[in-house]
Every structure is written in structure tokens, then in C-alpha cells.
Amino acid sequence: AQSVTQPDIHITVSEGASLELRCNYSYGATPYLFWYVQSPGQGLQLLLKYFSGDTLVQGIKGFEAEFKRSQSSFNLRKPSVHWSDAAEYFCAVGARSGGSNYKLTFGKGTLLTVNP
Amino acid sequence: NAGVTQTPKFQVLKTGQSMTLQCAQDMNHNSMYWYRQDPGMGLRLIYYSASEGTTDKGEVPNGYNVSRLNKREFSLRLESAAPSQTSVYFCASSLEAWNYGYTFGSGTRLTVV
């Protein structure tokens, strides 16, 4: 079964600083990988996804992520963080779990605090 | 462009009471999902419906039932609420089960006392 690990529960960065959120996955085949963002009191919004092809994917709000098969990682990056980026970020892996069942498994999330 | 609509947004139940959480999507999506979110646990899949007329258990189905009423609507029922079911519940939908491009509702915050 697939699994997702987000090693950092809480990260604090200063506005304008660069950001990298870590994500490691476990899955036997090529995974489908996602990053979602959740603002307080809101549902989850898709930032970006990787299905195949170019291992560096661009998303909304200036985010990008790089798939590294050798490290089983899919880290999220942003060159310059804005105060509005403060939120909780979830990495997820999508995989077939038998027959026609497709399952999206989420990590436990990383809470991002942005200092002015 | 409402997307995924969940009702109610907040609910307080007494132990043993029952209730149904409603979810409707207007994007003509085939697949729908119910997740619960607890602090430090991420999102865990309760039930899903890959297409109209089918439902399947997810990771944490105990204490819940679902109904895919039609293509638009997917409800979650708690027959006898327990304090352990205090959580934030999210409904999501996707065009197809394998597509994974989930659209989430804004959630229902449920407290069982």
C-alpha cells in the first residue's frame, strides 16, 4: 500500500525567503503525486500535480515541485514566500489499489507560518 | 460555479444521535469521496463512490454509511454518533476515479458531546 511522509510538522519562514517543503512517498510503481494547500477554515486546493514526463512541475501561486524517483521525494518549493502563503500544505500520492479502485493517500501536513 | 457544496457547515450532536451530511457537486464529476480530517492525522478516506450506483469503503468506514443519491449528490450518515467521530468532514469529487484532480468542499465541522 502507498504511504506519504511529510517530515516537518511546522515550518516558519520570513516573508521574502525561499521555501522548501519535504515529501517522501512509498509506492511500488510510478506514482501520481500532488500538493494541496488548505487555508484556515477552508477546503483543500490543488497546487500542482505530477503524472509523468518532466520531473519539475509548475503550479499555481508561484509554486513548483520536483519529482526525484531515486529519493522517492516530491518536494515543494517557492523562491520568495508571501504572507498570504501561510497555510497548511498536504502532499498526496495517487495509486491503483486493486481492480478499478484508485486511492489518493495524504500526508499529515506541514503548517507554514510566515513572519513579516 | 459553486463546485462542491457541503451542508451543514457546523453541527453539534449528542452521543447516540444520528445525522446526515450532505454533499452536492455541479461539475458533472463521476467520482465522489468523503474524508475526515483530524489534527496531526491528515485526511483519511471514509467512503468513496467511483461512479453513480457504486460505493466502496475507504480507510476508516466504521460507524458511517453513504448513499450516492444520483450523479450530483453523495451523503454521509452517522447512525449513532460517538465522541470519536468529532472531526472536520470533507467531501470531494473528481471527473474520474483515476484522474485524482479532486475538488474539495469547504467542510463540515462536527462535534459529538
Side-chain angles (χ1 to χ4, degrees):
Chain A
Q2 65 269 30
S3 65
V4 179
T5 301
Q6 294 180 246
D8 303 305
I9 297 173
H10 187 191
I11 284 183
T12 300
V13 299
S14 299
E15 191 169 15
S18 63
L19 171 69
E20 182 169 27
L21 302 182
R22 295 184 291 163
C23 173
N24 294 98
Y25 69 89
S26 173
Y27 182 59
T30 300
Y32 296 162
L33 296 162
F34 307 81
W35 276 99
Y36 284 84
V37 60
Q38 183 181 32
S39 298
Q42 302 297 313
L44 278 72
Q45 181 185 20
L46 180 65
L47 281 176
L48 48 79
K49 60 185 177 183
Y50 170 79
F51 279 15
S52 65
D54 193 346
T55 56
L56 184 63
V57 294
Q58 302 297 321
I60 62 172
K61 305 186 180 187
F63 285 93
E64 66 177 27
E66 186 172 12
F67 170 57
K68 293 186 177 181
R69 183 188 301 275
S70 62
Q71 298 177 18
S72 297
S73 69
F74 189 57
N75 294 349
L76 182 71
R77 301 194 294 248
K78 187 170 185 178
S80 178
V81 171
H82 188 263
W83 65 266
S84 60
D85 293 324
E88 190 158 21
Y89 292 79
F90 293 91
C91 182
V93 59
R96 193 170 184 173
S97 60
S100 60
N101 296 324
Y102 296 86
K103 184 179 174 183
L104 191 62
T105 300
F106 288 86
K108 295 183 178 181
T110 297
L111 180 64
L112 174 65
T113 298
V114 180
N115 287 335
Chain B
N1 53 338
V4 178
T5 302
Q6 291 184 237
T7 56
K9 293 189 182 302
F10 301 94
Q11 184 72 47
V12 178
L13 289 179
K14 293 182 179 180
T15 298
Q17 286 185 318
S18 63
M19 78 161 296
T20 299
L21 281 64
Q22 306 288 352
C23 175
Q25 52 90 10
D26 61 1
M27 298 170 287
N28 202 34
H29 283 176
N30 289 305
S31 302
M32 298 185 72
Y33 312 84
W34 276 106
Y35 284 87
R36 61 177 288 174
Q37 183 179 32
D38 303 290
M41 300 294 291
L43 280 83
R44 293 180 291 170
L45 182 63
I46 305 172
Y47 271 94
Y48 66 101
S49 171
S51 60
E52 185 179 357
T54 68
T55 60
D56 287 288
K57 295 178 180 179
E59 186 181 354
V60 287
N62 291 344
Y64 306 95
N65 286 300
V66 290
S67 295
R68 183 74 183 266
L69 304 172
N70 47 55
K71 190 171 185 178
R72 292 185 62 249
E73 298 172 285
F74 188 39
S75 63
L76 178 71
R77 182 161 179 85
L78 287 70
E79 292 289 354
S80 179
S84 61
Q85 295 178 303
T86 294
S87 186
V88 181
Y89 291 85
F90 287 100
C91 178
S93 70
S94 64
L95 183 59
E96 301 288 353
W98 53 263
N99 180 267
Y100 300 114
Y102 291 13
T103 299
F104 281 82
S106 58
T108 295
R109 185 173 294 275
L110 175 67
T111 301
V112 182
V113 298

